[in-house]
Amino acid sequence: MICHSANEGPEPAEINISPIASSQRSFINGFRTYVSAPRIPTFSDMSKRFANLLSVPSKEEINACWDLCRLNNHMGCWTTWLPTSWALAMVYHAQPQIPGTLALLWGAKYLVLCSGVKSLIMTIDDVLDHDIDSQVTRTKSRAIPRGSISLDRAWLFFSIQIILGVYLARTLLDPVSSAFGLAVFPIFIVYPTCKRWMYFAPIPLGLMFTVGVFMGWSTLDTTRHIPYEILLPIFVGGCFWVWTYETIYQHMDKEDDVKIGIKSAALLCGKYTLPVCSATATVFFGLLAYGGYLNGHSLPFFAGLLLAADFFLQTPMIGQVVLAGFVADAIIARVTNGIAL
């Protein structure tokens, strides 16, 4: 009889998996992979999805579309319409043959168009940012994250807005103004992605919101000449205005932005936000003053600029007071010189 010590044992037998067992295990693993892999949609699946896409919207979806457009918040409309209206007032001042009723009519038309532009920007922002919005305290209750409208239906709603917007632009605007609008349209799509890869998202936002400076002038212009030497300071100044209020606004989300890895001008400026935004606001007022000077504006306009500076953190009010200065100066100049309003 052979005895083994306590610390010794028989040599372990070599495990030999038979080819049958091995093939069974491979089959099971392969089946699991197949089940977990995305299934190729069938024609029936695609038909159902298409039918759902085109179905009559529910009351919840209609409310969701209202939310996508931010129709309960007029900030975006103001910030796109005001630079356009500055230009309308400027060309009205520079070209006395333009009747005031025509300037007012185009101010009203652009109010509708700018409301549409704001709605487009807000909708595509929510569509492309739905994954981020669900992680941010301020935005997790928006239409797509809360499930009030599907992503497919949100895309459909955006497409309808595009079709309607192109139709209105081609119907109402002159070719030059339309060209300026189309030039910035690609930025509509790029802008919502900017905060994923750069800190300077207010820059493309400023280009979108301030392009109306050129559109407004072109709409009323009777000379077929756009004075870029006058309008560029206004345009660039408007972009600095957008940087100012958007950077301050972004501080609302900075804690969530840090958690999910989003970049923003607020995080870039940090504790220097106030001095940085004070500097950009100063540049804004300086460039507007320079552009107004080149356009022949006088004391009422500059008084409006000084008054607007008192509303540093009140975004719409700044632009409204600037517009009031432009309009008052143009009207006073016409009355003083005996030119019909």
Side-chain angles (χ1 to χ4, degrees):
M1 177 180 288
I2 300 175
C3 297
H4 297 278
S5 66
N7 295 328
E8 288 182 340
E11 290 292 328
E14 183 178 352
I15 299 175
N16 182 25
I17 300 176
S18 68
I20 295 178
S22 179
S23 61
Q24 288 176 341
R25 186 168 299 177
S26 298
F27 173 77
I28 293 172
N29 291 336
F31 180 75
R32 287 174 178 169
T33 302
Y34 170 77
V35 170
S36 61
R39 185 168 60 88
I40 299 175
T42 64
F43 178 77
S44 177
D45 294 333
M46 296 177 66
S47 299
K48 290 179 181 178
R49 183 175 180 181
F50 187 72
N52 290 333
L53 182 66
L54 300 181
S55 62
V56 177
S58 64
K59 182 179 180 180
E60 183 181 15
E61 286 180 314
I62 294 174
N63 290 333
C65 290
W66 180 280
D67 291 347
L68 288 174
C69 293
R70 308 286 196 280
L71 292 178
N72 59 331
N73 186 336
H74 306 297
M75 179 71 73
C77 182
W78 278 117
T79 51
T80 52
W81 182 75
L82 283 168
T84 310
S85 297
W86 299 341
L88 291 174
M90 290 177 71
V91 68
Y92 173 71
H93 172 78
Q95 300 178 19
Q97 64 271 32
I98 298 174
T101 53
L102 184 62
L104 288 173
L105 177 62
W106 272 104
K109 288 182 179 180
Y110 268 115
L111 185 62
V112 175
L113 291 172
C114 290
S115 180
V117 168
K118 183 266 294 188
S119 297
L120 275 172
I121 295 174
M122 297 298 102
T123 300
I124 191 60
D125 186 65
D126 278 14
V127 169
L128 296 181
D129 272 356
H130 69 278
D131 57 331
I132 294 176
D133 288 344
S134 62
Q135 303 177 63
V136 177
T137 303
R138 183 179 60 86
T139 59
K140 62 173 57 177
S141 61
R142 286 180 176 173
I144 299 176
R146 72 172 185 257
S148 296
I149 188 171
S150 69
L151 198 56
D152 286 347
R153 299 274 274 183
W155 272 114
L156 176 63
F157 179 58
F158 175 70
S159 301
I160 293 172
Q161 291 183 74
I162 290 291
I163 294 170
L164 180 60
V166 170
Y167 171 76
L168 289 175
R170 291 180 62 87
T171 302
L172 297 176
L173 299 180
D174 63 281
V176 176
S177 298
S178 296
F180 278 115
L182 289 174
V184 299
F185 179 76
I187 306 178
F188 286 21
I189 308 297
V190 174
Y191 166 69
T193 71
C194 288
K195 54 192 172 185
R196 299 172 187 261
W197 51 275
M198 73 171 186
Y199 290 100
F200 304 100
I203 293 178
L205 187 67
L207 298 177
M208 290 189 296
F209 278 7
T210 317
V211 71
V213 166
F214 302 109
M215 298 172 67
W217 186 287
S218 174
T219 297
L220 289 182
D221 178 49
T222 61
T223 66
R224 296 184 179 181
H225 168 71
I226 297 180
Y228 290 104
E229 69 280 4
I230 294 175
L231 296 181
L232 276 174
I234 305 296
F235 174 74
V236 176
C239 291
F240 273 95
W241 180 41
V242 174
W243 172 279
T244 303
Y245 67 69
E246 183 65 12
T247 300
I248 295 172
Y249 175 74
Q250 287 178 353
H251 273 273
M252 297 174 62
D253 300 329
K254 62 182 180 180
E255 293 182 2
D256 289 317
D257 289 345
V258 171
K259 292 177 183 177
I260 60 180
I262 293 300
K263 298 175 173 61
S264 72
L267 293 177
L268 177 67
C269 296
K271 64 181 180 180
Y272 301 105
T273 294
L274 188 58
V276 168
C277 289
S278 298
T280 55
T282 301
V283 174
F284 159 63
F285 285 115
L287 287 173
L288 252 65
Y290 179 62
Y293 166 76
L294 293 178
N295 198 48
H297 290 281
S298 57
L299 184 61
F301 164 69
F302 293 106
L305 282 184
L306 290 175
L307 181 60
D310 291 334
F311 301 95
F312 175 62
L313 297 179
Q314 301 180 42
T315 299
M317 184 63 71
I318 291 176
Q320 291 162 359
V321 174
V322 170
L323 176 61
F326 273 124
V327 172
D329 189 58
I331 291 175
I332 292 173
R334 289 199 176 203
V335 171
T336 302
N337 293 295
I339 301 171
L341 296 177

